[in-house]
Amino acid sequence: MSQQSQWKASALAATFSSNSGLAGTAWGSARPPLHMGGEIGFGLGFGQAPSRSNMLLTSSFHYNAAPLMAGEGRSQKRKASSEDESMGSSSPTPEPASRKIRSLGDPRRLAHGSARPVASHPDGRKRTRVMDAAAPNEVSLDKLLEPLEEKDLRSLLETLISQNPQLAPQVRQLVPKPTVNSACSQLVRLERRLQASFPYNKSGPASDDYTYHRVRPALEELRDTIVMYLDHFTHYGLAQAQAQAQAPDNALSHPAEWFDLLAQATDVAVRMPKWDRPENNAIRRDTLHQLADGWTRAVMATARWTEDGHIVGRDMLSQWAQQLDHFCSASGESALFHPAIQVFGQRFGRQHMRGAGRMSLESTA
């Protein structure tokens, strides 16, 4: 065999060897080729050594096999990509982003509250929608006033009138008119307030100057209230039967109302505290003096009322005489009540004065 034939045989053997190596290795590297010897030495171990030309041919084939492998890998990737696309062609085509944005304004989506339209100005400019916080329900005025105590309500009303003086006449018309019973109830409350104003003393209420100055405001308030109601109810005297339609609202229609007010007010004044210092008893003495004058005017008004044809029961006259005599002795200021007792005996007779009352009338005769 010629030299050229040997080269061709070696190249053919290298081709078969590299193809088998590509299938057996990960990176497609070719196995070393089997170099065939000459025709005479084949199978006898006397093969001819490969020539330099054969080695160069083999190495060049190895280098040319690498680009072939890379081409096959790219073809496999392209094949996989085409298969993936064919598999995904059955899924729905994704909606364009612009179409999604426009679908936010779809009325069907607005019906479910998933989106809200953007408000715009009349001139077409867009503005940001501001969510207004829901205002809490206000508490009604009657519920605000209900838990307030009497003193708080009075303070609130006084402040309102002081800041708005024009409301005073309207408030006066709306407030219920005072009655003898309501006036007497208020006097009892003021007396309790006076008792509560005393400073604590383990030996009981004291009568010294310190205690007097502590309770003086409450004592003066009680005195002023007694005088106010006495003047309010007895200023116009007893309303005559023929003139009751034109009489003021505060005019008394029966002597019993007058004497009832006097009896309860005088009872409160008699219980006013007495002080060690004589000048501190001026408030108590002044109150009793005002009430004693009220008793005198009540007796004279009742006498005129009976002269006009009205009748007063004997038991009622006896009750008034006993009350007057009791206050004369219990007050410690008997001289203040002597004029009332004397007028009573002159107008209604001494037979209505019993027991100590008779003694009082005899002492003033």
Side-chain angles (χ1 to χ4, degrees):
M1 183 180 294
S2 63
Q3 187 69 24
Q4 186 175 3
S5 300
Q6 291 179 0
W7 287 354
K8 292 180 179 181
S10 298
L12 182 61
T15 302
F16 286 112
S17 176
S18 62
N19 290 337
S20 61
L22 288 174
T25 59
W27 298 94
S29 59
R31 293 180 182 178
L34 296 177
H35 301 285
M36 301 177 61
E39 183 178 358
I40 299 176
F42 180 76
L44 299 178
F46 298 103
Q48 186 178 358
S51 65
R52 184 176 180 85
S53 299
N54 293 337
M55 295 178 62
L56 292 177
L57 179 61
T58 304
S59 63
S60 63
F61 176 80
H62 290 172
Y63 287 118
N64 293 331
L68 178 62
M69 290 292 299
E72 292 178 356
R74 285 195 297 270
S75 63
Q76 291 178 357
K77 291 182 180 179
R78 286 195 297 270
K79 182 178 181 181
S81 299
S82 61
E83 291 178 354
D84 293 341
E85 291 178 357
S86 61
M87 292 176 63
S89 60
S90 59
S91 60
T93 304
E95 189 177 3
S98 60
R99 184 176 301 176
K100 290 183 179 180
I101 295 176
R102 288 194 299 270
S103 64
L104 292 178
D106 190 354
R108 292 175 297 178
R109 296 177 62 87
L110 292 177
H112 296 284
S114 59
R116 297 179 182 272
V118 179
S120 59
H121 290 283
D123 56 358
R125 293 179 299 151
K126 293 183 178 180
R127 65 180 180 182
T128 304
R129 187 178 185 274
V130 180
M131 300 297 294
D132 296 333
N137 296 330
E138 294 185 358
V139 181
S140 59
L141 184 59
D142 59 336
K143 297 303 180 183
L144 292 176
L145 298 177
E146 183 177 356
L148 297 181
E149 298 181 357
E150 180 182 355
K151 60 179 181 179
D152 299 328
L153 291 173
R154 183 172 61 252
S155 176
L156 177 63
L157 186 59
E158 291 175 354
T159 303
L160 181 63
I161 295 176
S162 63
Q163 296 178 356
N164 303 273
Q166 69 277 7
L167 297 178
Q170 184 177 0
V171 173
R172 184 177 292 275
Q173 293 178 359
L174 296 175
V175 173
K177 302 297 181 183
T179 62
V180 173
N181 291 334
S182 64
C184 294
S185 299
Q186 186 172 3
L187 294 180
V188 173
R189 289 194 296 269
L190 293 177
E191 183 182 14
R192 294 175 181 173
R193 187 181 302 176
L194 172 63
Q195 296 173 355
S197 63
F198 275 84
Y200 173 76
N201 190 346
K202 61 181 180 180
S203 301
S207 57
D208 54 1
D209 292 345
Y210 170 75
T211 306
Y212 168 75
H213 289 291
R214 286 285 302 271
V215 303
R216 181 176 178 177
L219 193 62
E220 291 178 343
E221 182 181 9
L222 179 59
R223 186 269 316 274
D224 296 341
T225 305
I226 290 175
V227 174
M228 178 189 67
Y229 279 126
L230 185 62
D231 181 71
H232 176 77
F233 288 109
T234 64
H235 179 77
Y236 296 101
L238 292 173
Q240 301 300 322
Q242 63 275 13
Q244 286 186 359
Q246 294 79 19
D249 295 337
N250 56 332
L252 300 177
S253 59
H254 196 277
E257 297 177 327
W258 198 332
F259 282 103
D260 189 17
L261 174 64
L262 286 171
Q264 297 194 48
T266 307
D267 194 21
V268 173
V270 167
R271 292 194 296 265
M272 284 184 175
K274 297 180 181 179
W275 307 101
D276 298 337
R277 190 184 294 273
E279 53 268 25
N280 292 342
N281 294 317
I283 297 176
R284 182 177 183 273
R285 186 181 305 110
D286 181 56
T287 305
L288 291 173
H289 178 71
Q290 296 285 343
L291 289 170
D293 290 345
W295 279 95
T296 303
R297 291 189 296 115
V299 172
M300 296 176 63
T302 303
R304 292 192 299 268
W305 194 72
T306 57
E307 292 175 358
D308 294 338
H310 299 87
I311 300 175
V312 180
R314 186 181 297 270
D315 295 340
M316 188 174 292
L317 291 174
S318 299
Q319 180 182 0
W320 296 340
Q322 291 178 11
Q323 291 174 347
L324 182 57
D325 183 72
H326 168 72
F327 295 138
C328 179
S329 59
S331 63
E333 302 286 346
S334 58
L336 297 176
F337 291 90
H338 285 166
I341 295 176
Q342 184 176 7
V343 171
F344 193 94
Q346 293 174 355
R347 294 300 183 101
F348 298 107
R350 296 182 180 181
Q351 67 272 13
H352 299 292
M353 307 297 296
R354 300 176 182 177
R358 187 181 299 109
M359 297 175 57
S360 300
L361 287 174
E362 292 175 354
S363 63
T364 58

